[in-house]
Amino acid sequence: MPEGLVGIIMGSDSDLPTMSLAAQVLEELDIRYEITIVSAHRTPQRMIQYAHSAASRGIEVIIAGAGGAAHLPGLTAANTILPVIGVPITTRSLCGIDSLYSILPMPVSRPVATMAIGEDGARNAAYLAAQILGLKYSSIQAQLIKQRALSNDVSEIAL
Amino acid sequence: MPEGLVGIIMGSDSDLPTMSLAAQVLEELDIRYEITIVSAHRTPQRMIQYAHSAASRGIEVIIAGAGGAAHLPGLTAANTILPVIGVPITTRSLCGIDSLYSILPMPVSRPVATMAIGEDGARNAAYLAAQILGLKYSSIQAQLIKQRALSNDVSEIAL
Amino acid sequence: MPEGLVGIIMGSDSDLPTMSLAAQVLEELDIRYEITIVSAHRTPQRMIQYAHSAASRGIEVIIAGAGGAAHLPGLTAANTILPVIGVPITTRSLCGIDSLYSILPMPVSRPVATMAIGEDGARNAAYLAAQILGLKYSSIQAQLIKQRALSNDVSEIAL
Amino acid sequence: MPEGLVGIIMGSDSDLPTMSLAAQVLEELDIRYEITIVSAHRTPQRMIQYAHSAASRGIEVIIAGAGGAAHLPGLTAANTILPVIGVPITTRSLCGIDSLYSILPMPVSRPVATMAIGEDGARNAAYLAAQILGLKYSSIQAQLIKQRALSNDVSEIAL
Amino acid sequence: MPEGLVGIIMGSDSDLPTMSLAAQVLEELDIRYEITIVSAHRTPQRMIQYAHSAASRGIEVIIAGAGGAAHLPGLTAANTILPVIGVPITTRSLCGIDSLYSILPMPVSRPVATMAIGEDGARNAAYLAAQILGLKYSSIQAQLIKQRALSNDVSEIAL
Amino acid sequence: MPEGLVGIIMGSDSDLPTMSLAAQVLEELDIRYEITIVSAHRTPQRMIQYAHSAASRGIEVIIAGAGGAAHLPGLTAANTILPVIGVPITTRSLCGIDSLYSILPMPVSRPVATMAIGEDGARNAAYLAAQILGLKYSSIQAQLIKQRALSNDVSEIAL
Amino acid sequence: MPEGLVGIIMGSDSDLPTMSLAAQVLEELDIRYEITIVSAHRTPQRMIQYAHSAASRGIEVIIAGAGGAAHLPGLTAANTILPVIGVPITTRSLCGIDSLYSILPMPVSRPVATMAIGEDGARNAAYLAAQILGLKYSSIQAQLIKQRALSNDVSEIAL
Amino acid sequence: MPEGLVGIIMGSDSDLPTMSLAAQVLEELDIRYEITIVSAHRTPQRMIQYAHSAASRGIEVIIAGAGGAAHLPGLTAANTILPVIGVPITTRSLCGIDSLYSILPMPVSRPVATMAIGEDGARNAAYLAAQILGLKYSSIQAQLIKQRALSNDVSEIAL
C-alpha cells in the first residue's frame, strides 16, 4: 500500500476553488491525494460508503470541506476512525460562521479537526494532514521540516 | 393507514426534555406520534433507513431535534421527501446558535422547516406539524381552529 | 377547487428579485401559485384579510418573504392556520440576521417554518411547500420524487 | 381631554414585570397612563384597533414592549401616527437581541423609538415619553427639569 | 417662536451623506430644521452648549447621528430634556453595530430614541421627529396623516 | 509634585466593585491613585473639568471604567492629552460587548487604550498604567520588573 | 521509545478541570500522556523549549488548552511539526468565543486542529489524538474500533 | 539615548499598508520610530529577543499589529514591561473580530492597550504612543497640545 494517501472530499463542485488549495499544498509536499465530490445531502449512501471504505482503500487522513449547513465533515467523522479535518467554506450571508458552527461542536468521540474559514483553512488542512502522516512516514516529516525551515528563514527586516 | 402520524426523532436522550414538549402538544391536539432516538453520528444507517422508510410506515411529517453540530434534521431531510421540521436544541457554550446554523442553511431542494431555539421551538414544531396535517385531515384542522379560537380569546385587559 | 395553490407574499417590490426564485421552483414542479405584494406595515388590514381568506380562496401553503423588522411572515401566521413558510430577506447593514430574528422566534402555537437567509431560502421555501402539498396530492409528490432522483444522480466524481 | 396620557401595551402578561417599571417611572413623574395587554399575534384586530383609536381616546405616546419575534411595537407604529416607543424584552436563548432586531430596523416612515433591552429600556421609555409630552405640557417639562436637577446633583465623590 | 424646529447634529462631515436624508424628509414634510456639525470629541464644550441652549433657541427635537464610539447622541441627551433621536452611522469594520451599541443602552433617565443603522435610520429619525412635533402642531400632524394615507395607498398587486 | 499619580474614574458607584480591583493592583505596586465618581451623563461639566485639570493636578494616567453606552473613557480622552485607559464594565443583557464597542472605536487622534471586559480588564488597566509610569519613574519600573520576575517564576509543573 | 505519548499542556491550573477530561479519555483508551502547565505568557521560553523538544522526548501529538487571548496552541504549533490540537477554554464574558478566535485562524503552514469550546472539546481532543496515533499503532486503532462499536451499539429506542 | 523611540512591529508584510499609517502619524508628530517585521509564528525566538532587548535598545513604546489568530501583541507584552499597543488587523472572513479577540483579553499583569480594528486603530496607536511619551518628553507633549488645538479648531458649521 502506498504511503500517506489523503482523501479530499467536498459536497459540491462550487467548493472546488477553495478545496483545490489543499491539493496544491499536498503536491508541494509530495503527498499523494485524491479529490472526490460526495454529498452528505445528495449522495448520503456514497458518503457513508466512502467513509467506511476509506481506510481499506489506503486513505489515512480525510480532508472534508463544506459550507452552510455543513454536514459532510461531521458525517464522515461519524463513519470512520480515520482523522477527519474539516474546512468551513465561506458563505454569502453568514461569512462561513454557519459552516464553522456546523463542523466544530461535534459530540464526544466523533471529533473533526476544524480549520479556519475559507482558503487559508483549506491550505492548513493539507499541512495538518502532512503533520499527521509525518508521524508515520519519515520522508513526509523530513519534507515538512525542510519546508518549515524555509518559511522560518524570513529574516527580520528593518524597513 | 392511520391519520397523520408524526415521527419525532432526536440524536440523544439528553434532547428528550426539550423534544417531549412537542409530543405533549401533539397529544393535546389528538395527533398520533412516535418518538425515536436515532443518531446521525452514532447510528447513521438507521437514521437513513428511518428517513427512507418513514413514508411507507405511515409517517407524514418528521420533527427532528438536535444540538451542537446538529446534523440530524438536515440529514433526515436529505433522505426523505416528507416535510422535516428542525428544532435547534439549546447548547451550553453557544446558546443553541450553533444548532440553529447547523440546521437552517440547507442546500437547495433539501429544506428543513426551522423553529426557534429550545423549548418554544419544540412546541411550535408540533403546531406546524398539525397545520401541515390539517390540510389533509379535516378533523385535525378543526382541532386547530378550535384551539386557535381559544388562544385568541384572551381579552384585552385594562390593568 | 384546484390542487395545491401556493400564495407567495412579500412586503415590497424590492423583495421580488429574491421571492421570484420561489415562484420559479414552483413552476419547475408544476405547482400553481400567486404572487401578491401585501405589507404588514403599509396595508395591515389587507394583510390580515389576505391571511383570513387564504384558505377559503384555495390557498394551502403561504410563503412570506420580508426583510429588516420582518413582520409579514409572523403576522400572517398569526391570522391563519395554514402553514406559513418564512424567507428572511438579506439586508444591507445586518446581512439578514435582523430578518431571521424577526421571523424565527414566534410565540407558541404561531409557528413560521423558517428558511435560510436570502435566495437559497426562497428556493427552499418552494421545495418545502411542494413537500407539504405532496402529502395530499400524489402528482406533486411524484414530481418531487422524480426531481429528487435526478438531483441525487450526481455521480461521485474522481477528479 | 386630560394631559399627556401614555398608553403602555405588551403582548403577554409575562412582559408585565418589565413593563411595569415604565409605569412606575410615569407615576413618579405624575404622568397619567393606562396599561393594556394586546397581542399582535393573538388579538391582531384589537391591536390594530388600539393603534387606530389611540389618538382619539386621548393617548399621545405609546410604549410597546415585546420579546422574541417582537412585532407589537412595529405593528402599532404602522397603524398610528402617534410616536411609538419600543422596549425589547429580554429572551432566554438570544438575550433579547432577537427582540431588538425585530423592533429596530423598521421601514421608512414607520419609525419605532427603540430603547435598550430589558428593564432599563422600560424605565427609559417612560422618560422619553415624558420628554415628548413635556414639549406640549409645561408642567410635565417642569417636572422633568426638577427630576434632572436632582439626578445631576450627585456630587463628585473622592473615595 | 417658530413651529417645530428640529436640530440635526453630527460629529463630522463624513456623516453628512447619511444625515442629509433626515433633512430631506423634513423638507418633504414642511418642517423647519437646522444642520450643525458639532463633535462630542473635538468640540465638547460647544456640544454641551448646543444641548443646553437648544430649547431656548426654539429647537424642540434633536436628531443626532454618529458612528463608531458614537457618543454624540447620548451626550446630547444627557445635557437636555428635549427628546433626542439617535442615528447609528454605518462603519467599515463593524457594520455600525458599534455605533448602535454606543447609542442604545443609555443609563436610566437619559434615553436616546434609537433608529436603525444607516440611511433608513436617518430617514426615520425625521419621521419620528415629525410625529413628536405633530402632537403639538396640528399642521404637522395633518401633513403626516396625508403622507401616511398616500404611502398606504399602495394597492395589493397581483403579479 | 508626587510621582505617577493615577486617576481612576467611573460613572457610577455600581462600577466600584470592578474598578476597585484596579486600585488594589496599584496599591500592590506602590503607586499613588485617587478614585472619583464622575459621570459623562449626570455631571458632564465636572467630567470635562476633571479631564482638563487632571494634568495640572499631577495626574499622569487616567483609568476610566464604564458600562452600557460607555461614554466616560472616550469623552475623557477627548478632553485631555494624558493617556486614558478604558475598562468595559460587564452588562447584563449584552455581556459588556456594548461597553467594549462604545469604548474601542474612537476617532483618529483620540485613542482609548482598551482593556478586556470586566474584572481582569480592571486589573490590567492598573498594570498598563504602571508600565506607562515606569518609563518615567525608575522605582515604578523596578517594582514592575520584580513583580514580573515573581509571576514568571511559576515552574513548569509535571502533574 | 514508548508508543504514542500525548502531551497535554495548558497555560494555568485554572484550565485543569477542563483539560483533565482529555486525560481521562486517554486513560480509557490506554494511551500514555503527560500533563504540563506551561504558559505562553509567563514562561515563553519554556513553552518554546517544550515545543522544540517534544518530538525528541517521544511526544507524538500535543493537546493544548487555553482561554481568553489563547496563544498557547498557536505558539506551540509554530514551534513544532507535531500535530497540535487546540481546546478553547470557556471564558466568563465572551463564552469562549475569544478563545476560539484566538486559536482557529492560524496563518498558512501553522495549523491548529481546533475542537469545540469547553469540556466536550477537551474530550474530543483526546479522541482525535487517538485517531492520529491509531494510524501508526495498530493496538490504539483496535482500541478505537472497539470503543466505536460500543458507542454505536445504542439501539434505536421506541419510547 | 534619543528621545522616545517607538518600535512598530507586525507579523507579515501584508500588514504593512495598515501599520504604515501609524508610522505616518509618528512622523507628523516628529517622533522617531523603527518598523520591523517579526513573526510570533515564523520567527518566535527573534520576536522574544526583540521584546527582551527593546528597552535596552532605547525603545520606550511598542506598537504591534497582527491579524487572525493575532498572537504578536500579546506575546510581545508577555516578554517586556514596556507598554505594548495592539492593532487588530482587518481579516477577510471575520472582519478583524478574530484579531480583536486574540489581542484584547490578556491574562492579568500582561496588558495590551488595544486599539480599534484596522486603519484608524493603527493611526490611534501612534497617538497613544505619543501621549505616553509626552509624559516624559515635554517637547512631544507640546507637539500633541499643538496638534490637539488645531484639530479642535473645527468651528461649528451651520450648513
Side-chain angles (χ1 to χ4, degrees):
Chain A
M1 200 172 299
E3 283 196 0
L5 186 60
V6 175
I8 301 176
I9 56 177
M10 69 207 80
S12 127
D13 52 13
S14 68
D15 301 332
L16 196 54
T18 300
M19 297 310 293
S20 62
L21 298 170
Q24 194 178 306
V25 168
L26 291 174
E27 275 176 26
E28 287 165 22
L29 294 168
D30 283 325
I31 296 175
R32 290 188 323 123
Y33 65 90
E34 55 170 56
I35 297 188
T36 312
I37 293 177
V38 50
S39 166
H41 300 127
R42 284 175 297 108
T43 59
Q45 286 296 359
R46 276 187 203 166
M47 187 268 289
I48 291 177
Q49 198 178 357
Y50 179 96
H52 280 172
S53 68
S56 66
R57 290 189 300 114
I59 288 174
E60 299 198 286
V61 180
I62 296 173
I63 295 173
H71 301 160
L72 186 64
L75 264 288
T76 303
N79 287 285
T80 181
I81 54 158
L82 295 178
V84 175
I85 304 170
V87 179
I89 303 283
T90 306
T91 53
R92 223 174 319 167
S93 51
L94 292 166
C95 302
I97 292 181
D98 46 355
S99 318
L100 174 61
Y101 284 174
S102 304
I103 292 173
L104 190 80
M106 285 289 292
V108 169
S109 86
R110 305 294 191 272
V112 172
T114 307
M115 298 288 103
I117 297 166
E119 301 192 347
D120 282 1
R123 287 191 188 93
N124 265 346
Y127 279 104
L128 179 63
Q131 291 177 331
I132 291 170
L133 293 171
L135 293 178
K136 192 172 170 188
Y137 304 110
S138 57
S139 67
I140 291 177
Q141 198 167 54
Q143 189 68 20
L144 268 177
I145 289 169
K146 208 172 82 185
Q147 198 270 355
R148 177 67 64 98
L150 284 171
S151 89
N152 277 355
D153 198 27
V154 176
S155 301
E156 200 175 314
I157 304 153
L159 299 179
Chain B
M1 199 172 302
E3 282 195 2
L5 186 60
V6 174
I8 301 176
I9 56 178
M10 70 207 79
S12 129
D13 53 12
S14 67
D15 302 332
L16 196 55
T18 301
M19 297 310 294
S20 62
L21 299 171
Q24 195 177 307
V25 168
L26 291 174
E27 275 176 26
E28 287 164 23
L29 295 168
D30 283 323
I31 297 175
R32 289 186 324 122
Y33 65 91
E34 56 170 55
I35 297 187
T36 312
I37 293 176
V38 50
S39 166
H41 300 128
R42 285 175 297 108
T43 59
Q45 286 297 0
R46 276 188 202 164
M47 186 268 289
I48 291 177
Q49 198 179 353
Y50 179 96
H52 280 174
S53 68
S56 67
R57 290 190 300 116
I59 289 174
E60 299 198 287
V61 180
I62 296 172
I63 295 174
H71 300 161
L72 185 64
L75 263 289
T76 304
N79 287 285
T80 181
I81 54 159
L82 295 178
V84 175
I85 303 171
V87 179
I89 303 283
T90 305
T91 53
R92 226 175 314 168
S93 51
L94 293 166
C95 302
I97 292 181
D98 46 354
S99 318
L100 173 60
Y101 283 175
S102 303
I103 292 173
L104 188 81
M106 286 289 290
V108 169
S109 84
R110 305 294 190 275
V112 172
T114 306
M115 298 288 103
I117 297 167
E119 301 192 347
D120 282 0
R123 288 192 187 91
N124 265 345
Y127 280 104
L128 179 62
Q131 291 177 331
I132 291 171
L133 293 171
L135 293 178
K136 192 173 169 186
Y137 304 109
S138 56
S139 67
I140 292 176
Q141 198 167 54
Q143 189 68 20
L144 269 177
I145 288 169
K146 207 172 81 186
Q147 196 272 354
R148 176 68 63 99
L150 284 171
S151 89
N152 277 355
D153 199 28
V154 176
S155 301
E156 201 175 313
I157 305 153
L159 300 178
Chain C
M1 201 173 301
E3 282 196 2
L5 186 60
V6 174
I8 301 176
I9 55 177
M10 70 206 81
S12 127
D13 52 12
S14 67
D15 301 333
L16 196 55
T18 300
M19 296 311 293
S20 62
L21 298 171
Q24 194 177 305
V25 168
L26 291 174
E27 275 176 27
E28 287 165 22
L29 294 168
D30 283 324
I31 297 175
R32 289 187 323 123
Y33 65 91
E34 56 170 56
I35 298 187
T36 312
I37 293 176
V38 50
S39 166
H41 301 127
R42 285 176 296 109
T43 59
Q45 286 296 0
R46 277 188 202 166
M47 188 268 289
I48 291 177
Q49 198 179 356
Y50 179 95
H52 280 173
S53 67
S56 67
R57 290 190 300 115
I59 288 175
E60 299 197 287
V61 180
I62 296 173
I63 296 173
H71 301 161
L72 186 63
L75 263 288
T76 304
N79 287 286
T80 181
I81 54 159
L82 295 178
V84 175
I85 304 170
V87 178
I89 303 283
T90 306
T91 53
R92 225 176 315 168
S93 51
L94 292 166
C95 302
I97 291 181
D98 45 355
S99 318
L100 174 61
Y101 284 174
S102 302
I103 293 173
L104 189 80
M106 285 290 291
V108 169
S109 85
R110 305 295 190 273
V112 172
T114 307
M115 299 288 103
I117 297 167
E119 301 192 347
D120 283 1
R123 288 191 187 93
N124 265 346
Y127 280 104
L128 180 62
Q131 291 177 331
I132 291 170
L133 293 171
L135 292 178
K136 192 172 169 187
Y137 303 109
S138 57
S139 67
I140 291 176
Q141 197 167 55
Q143 189 68 19
L144 268 177
I145 288 169
K146 207 173 80 185
Q147 197 272 355
R148 176 68 64 99
L150 283 172
S151 90
N152 277 355
D153 198 28
V154 175
S155 301
E156 201 175 315
I157 303 153
L159 299 180
Chain D
M1 202 172 300
E3 281 196 4
L5 185 60
V6 175
I8 301 177
I9 55 177
M10 69 207 82
S12 127
D13 52 12
S14 68
D15 302 333
L16 195 55
T18 300
M19 297 310 293
S20 62
L21 298 171
Q24 195 177 306
V25 168
L26 292 174
E27 275 177 26
E28 287 165 21
L29 294 167
D30 283 324
I31 297 175
R32 288 188 325 121
Y33 64 90
E34 56 170 56
I35 297 188
T36 312
I37 293 177
V38 51
S39 166
H41 300 127
R42 285 176 296 108
T43 59
Q45 287 296 359
R46 277 188 203 166
M47 187 267 290
I48 291 177
Q49 198 177 357
Y50 180 95
H52 280 173
S53 67
S56 67
R57 289 189 300 115
I59 289 174
E60 300 198 284
V61 180
I62 297 173
I63 295 174
H71 301 163
L72 185 63
L75 263 289
T76 304
N79 287 286
T80 181
I81 54 158
L82 295 178
V84 175
I85 304 171
V87 179
I89 303 283
T90 305
T91 53
R92 225 175 316 168
S93 50
L94 292 166
C95 303
I97 292 181
D98 46 355
S99 318
L100 173 61
Y101 284 174
S102 304
I103 293 173
L104 189 80
M106 285 292 290
V108 168
S109 86
R110 303 295 190 273
V112 172
T114 307
M115 298 289 103
I117 298 167
E119 301 192 346
D120 283 1
R123 288 191 187 93
N124 265 345
Y127 280 104
L128 180 61
Q131 291 176 331
I132 290 170
L133 293 171
L135 293 177
K136 192 172 169 186
Y137 304 109
S138 56
S139 67
I140 291 176
Q141 198 167 54
Q143 188 69 18
L144 269 177
I145 289 169
K146 205 172 83 185
Q147 196 271 354
R148 177 68 62 100
L150 283 171
S151 88
N152 277 355
D153 198 27
V154 176
S155 300
E156 201 175 315
I157 305 153
L159 300 177
Chain E
M1 201 173 301
E3 281 196 4
L5 186 60
V6 174
I8 301 177
I9 56 178
M10 70 207 80
S12 126
D13 53 13
S14 67
D15 301 333
L16 195 54
T18 300
M19 297 310 294
S20 62
L21 298 170
Q24 195 179 305
V25 168
L26 291 174
E27 275 177 27
E28 287 164 21
L29 294 168
D30 283 324
I31 297 175
R32 288 188 324 121
Y33 64 91
E34 55 171 54
I35 297 188
T36 312
I37 294 177
V38 51
S39 166
H41 300 126
R42 286 176 295 108
T43 58
Q45 286 297 0
R46 276 187 202 165
M47 188 267 290
I48 291 176
Q49 198 178 357
Y50 180 96
H52 280 172
S53 67
S56 67
R57 291 190 298 116
I59 289 174
E60 299 198 285
V61 180
I62 296 173
I63 295 174
H71 301 161
L72 185 64
L75 262 288
T76 304
N79 287 285
T80 182
I81 55 159
L82 295 178
V84 176
I85 304 171
V87 179
I89 303 282
T90 306
T91 52
R92 225 175 315 168
S93 51
L94 293 166
C95 303
I97 292 181
D98 45 355
S99 319
L100 173 61
Y101 283 174
S102 303
I103 293 172
L104 189 79
M106 285 291 290
V108 169
S109 86
R110 304 293 189 276
V112 172
T114 307
M115 299 287 103
I117 298 167
E119 301 191 346
D120 282 2
R123 288 191 187 93
N124 265 345
Y127 281 104
L128 180 62
Q131 291 177 332
I132 291 170
L133 293 171
L135 293 177
K136 192 172 168 187
Y137 304 109
S138 57
S139 67
I140 292 176
Q141 196 167 55
Q143 189 68 20
L144 268 177
I145 289 168
K146 206 172 82 185
Q147 198 271 357
R148 177 67 65 97
L150 283 171
S151 90
N152 277 355
D153 198 27
V154 175
S155 301
E156 202 175 315
I157 304 152
L159 299 179
Chain F
M1 202 173 299
E3 282 195 3
L5 186 60
V6 174
I8 301 176
I9 56 177
M10 69 207 81
S12 125
D13 53 12
S14 66
D15 302 332
L16 195 55
T18 301
M19 296 310 293
S20 63
L21 299 170
Q24 194 177 307
V25 168
L26 290 174
E27 275 176 27
E28 287 164 22
L29 294 167
D30 284 323
I31 297 175
R32 289 188 323 123
Y33 65 91
E34 55 169 56
I35 298 188
T36 311
I37 293 177
V38 51
S39 165
H41 300 126
R42 285 176 297 109
T43 58
Q45 286 297 359
R46 276 187 202 166
M47 187 267 289
I48 291 178
Q49 197 178 357
Y50 180 95
H52 280 173
S53 67
S56 67
R57 290 189 299 116
I59 288 174
E60 299 198 284
V61 180
I62 296 172
I63 295 174
H71 301 162
L72 184 64
L75 262 289
T76 304
N79 287 285
T80 182
I81 54 158
L82 295 178
V84 175
I85 304 171
V87 178
I89 303 283
T90 306
T91 53
R92 225 175 316 169
S93 51
L94 292 166
C95 302
I97 292 181
D98 45 356
S99 318
L100 174 60
Y101 284 175
S102 304
I103 292 173
L104 189 79
M106 285 289 291
V108 169
S109 86
R110 303 295 190 274
V112 172
T114 307
M115 299 288 102
I117 297 166
E119 301 191 347
D120 282 2
R123 289 191 187 93
N124 265 345
Y127 279 105
L128 180 61
Q131 291 177 331
I132 290 170
L133 293 171
L135 293 178
K136 193 172 169 187
Y137 304 109
S138 56
S139 67
I140 292 176
Q141 198 167 53
Q143 189 68 20
L144 268 177
I145 289 169
K146 207 172 81 185
Q147 197 272 355
R148 177 68 63 99
L150 284 171
S151 89
N152 277 355
D153 198 25
V154 176
S155 301
E156 202 175 313
I157 304 153
L159 301 176
Chain G
M1 200 173 300
E3 282 195 1
L5 186 60
V6 174
I8 302 177
I9 56 178
M10 70 207 79
S12 127
D13 53 12
S14 67
D15 302 331
L16 196 55
T18 301
M19 297 310 293
S20 63
L21 298 171
Q24 195 178 305
V25 168
L26 290 174
E27 275 177 26
E28 286 164 23
L29 294 168
D30 283 324
I31 296 175
R32 288 187 325 122
Y33 65 91
E34 55 169 55
I35 297 189
T36 312
I37 294 177
V38 50
S39 166
H41 300 127
R42 285 175 297 108
T43 58
Q45 287 296 359
R46 275 187 202 164
M47 187 268 289
I48 291 177
Q49 198 178 355
Y50 180 95
H52 280 173
S53 68
S56 68
R57 290 190 300 116
I59 288 174
E60 299 197 286
V61 180
I62 297 172
I63 296 174
H71 300 161
L72 186 64
L75 262 289
T76 305
N79 287 286
T80 182
I81 54 159
L82 296 178
V84 175
I85 304 170
V87 179
I89 303 283
T90 306
T91 53
R92 225 175 315 167
S93 51
L94 293 166
C95 302
I97 291 180
D98 46 354
S99 318
L100 173 60
Y101 284 174
S102 303
I103 292 173
L104 189 80
M106 284 291 291
V108 169
S109 85
R110 303 294 189 276
V112 172
T114 306
M115 299 287 101
I117 297 166
E119 301 192 346
D120 283 1
R123 288 191 188 92
N124 265 345
Y127 280 104
L128 180 62
Q131 291 177 331
I132 290 170
L133 293 171
L135 293 177
K136 192 171 170 188
Y137 304 109
S138 56
S139 67
I140 291 176
Q141 198 167 54
Q143 189 68 19
L144 268 177
I145 290 169
K146 207 172 82 185
Q147 196 272 355
R148 176 69 63 99
L150 284 172
S151 89
N152 277 355
D153 198 27
V154 176
S155 301
E156 202 175 313
I157 304 152
L159 299 178
Chain H
M1 200 173 300
E3 283 196 1
L5 186 60
V6 174
I8 302 176
I9 56 177
M10 69 207 80
S12 126
D13 53 13
S14 67
D15 301 332
L16 196 54
T18 300
M19 296 310 293
S20 62
L21 299 170
Q24 195 178 306
V25 168
L26 291 175
E27 275 177 26
E28 287 165 22
L29 293 167
D30 283 323
I31 297 175
R32 289 188 323 123
Y33 65 91
E34 55 170 56
I35 298 188
T36 312
I37 293 177
V38 51
S39 166
H41 301 126
R42 285 175 297 107
T43 59
Q45 286 296 359
R46 277 189 201 163
M47 187 268 288
I48 290 177
Q49 199 178 356
Y50 179 95
H52 280 172
S53 67
S56 66
R57 291 190 298 116
I59 288 174
E60 299 198 284
V61 180
I62 296 173
I63 295 173
H71 301 162
L72 186 64
L75 262 289
T76 303
N79 287 285
T80 182
I81 53 158
L82 295 178
V84 176
I85 304 170
V87 179
I89 303 283
T90 306
T91 53
R92 225 174 316 168
S93 50
L94 292 166
C95 303
I97 291 181
D98 45 355
S99 318
L100 173 60
Y101 283 174
S102 304
I103 292 173
L104 189 80
M106 285 290 290
V108 169
S109 84
R110 305 294 191 274
V112 173
T114 307
M115 298 287 103
I117 297 167
E119 301 192 346
D120 282 2
R123 287 191 189 93
N124 264 346
Y127 280 104
L128 180 62
Q131 291 177 331
I132 291 170
L133 293 171
L135 293 178
K136 192 173 168 187
Y137 304 109
S138 57
S139 68
I140 292 176
Q141 198 167 54
Q143 189 66 20
L144 269 176
I145 289 169
K146 207 173 81 186
Q147 198 272 355
R148 177 68 64 98
L150 283 171
S151 89
N152 276 356
D153 198 27
V154 176
S155 300
E156 201 176 313
I157 303 153
L159 299 178

